[in-house]
Amino acid sequence: MTASTPTTAHPGLDAAILDYNGVIGLQPTTDQWLRLARTALWPENDLPAFQHAFWNARPAYDAGQLSDLAYWATVLGHHPGARRLRELREADTDMWTSTDDRVVEVLEHTHASGLPLVLLSNAPRHLSNVLDRHPWRRLMTHALYSARLQVCKPDPAAYQHALNATGAAGPDRVLLVDDRADNCHAARRLRLRTLHYTGRSTDLAAALHPAN
């Protein structure tokens, strides 16, 4: 099957573009955040401040504009040593590699039905390399990561890269699945169909298999 000739299981749909974190990947637990904060030698009673520093520098890191060292130096306010940098990167990566088995099951069914699936994720380079080694990756026709594209969602250029990878006849024949409302809004401005995913795998299954 090609993207321009969808099966009867997917009427009017040529492909789907999927976010990773919050869709395929589970959100980090509080324990995982605390482990990372401890690794950073951040006071455990000040986790919100750590998370603020973490996220404030993240867009540039996800876009490939900061190295691992530059990112963590920005978060911490000083350069970590080589050993601590390695430990920080490992703890950070560990937060994003647990997957939702229910979602993977839906995607396995979708993959078997022949609908092309393209991953579009805001992720730094090291995490991208780790995710590419996971078993669910085989379900994706292409996996596009912001650090490699050097552009993050919701920049329109990120969606255009993913649309080009789908080979779809037009954006209105592609479904974007993302857990962030701003990413969905940006996609709709480009005429993609969207599913704002809120953790219900049944909603995902219904969107990907409307004929079932």
Side-chain angles (χ1 to χ4, degrees), residues 6-79:
T7 70
T8 56
H10 311 282
L13 193 62
D14 289 351
I17 299 171
L18 296 135
D19 180 34
Y20 173 71
N21 184 48
V23 180
I24 301 171
L26 295 171
Q27 297 286 7
T29 64
T30 299
D31 284 346
Q32 288 174 313
W33 276 112
L34 288 171
R35 176 196 170 199
L36 183 60
R38 285 194 296 270
T39 304
L41 303 182
W42 201 280
E44 287 191 29
N45 61 354
D46 201 13
L47 184 59
F50 173 72
Q51 291 173 318
H52 176 76
F54 179 97
W55 287 119
N56 194 50
R58 200 70 175 193
Y61 187 39
D62 283 348
Q65 297 165 5
L66 295 178
S67 66
D68 297 337
L69 177 60
Y71 170 69
W72 283 109
T74 302
V75 172
L76 303 177
H78 60 84
H79 280 201

Side-chain angles (χ1 to χ4, degrees), residues 178-205:
D178 202 293
D179 71 317
R180 286 180 47 172
D182 57 337
N183 288 341
C184 290
H185 291 156
R188 282 197 293 272
R189 286 195 290 270
L190 296 175
R191 297 189 299 113
L192 281 86
R193 306 183 197 184
T194 62
L195 171 64
H196 180 202
Y197 187 70
T198 58
R200 290 169 52 93
S201 60
T202 52
D203 291 345
L204 178 62

Side-chain angles (χ1 to χ4, degrees), residues 1-6 13-15 116 166-169 173:
M1 188 199 86
T2 65
S4 59
T5 57
L13 193 62
D14 289 351
T166 67
R173 299 181 66 85

Side-chain angles (χ1 to χ4, degrees), residues 116-166:
L117 301 173
V118 172
L119 185 77
L120 180 62
S121 176
N122 288 350
R125 191 170 298 276
H126 177 71
L127 177 57
S128 305
N129 294 338
V130 171
L131 293 179
D132 269 346
R133 296 195 293 270
H134 278 235
W136 58 263
R137 171 61 180 84
R138 65 174 177 79
L139 304 174
M140 303 295 147
T141 306
H142 299 280
L144 306 180
Y145 302 98
S146 56
R148 298 176 188 174
L149 299 175
Q150 298 194 318
V151 63
C152 292
K153 294 177 293 182
D155 191 305
Y159 301 103
Q160 194 57 57
H161 282 293
L163 279 169
N164 293 344
T166 67

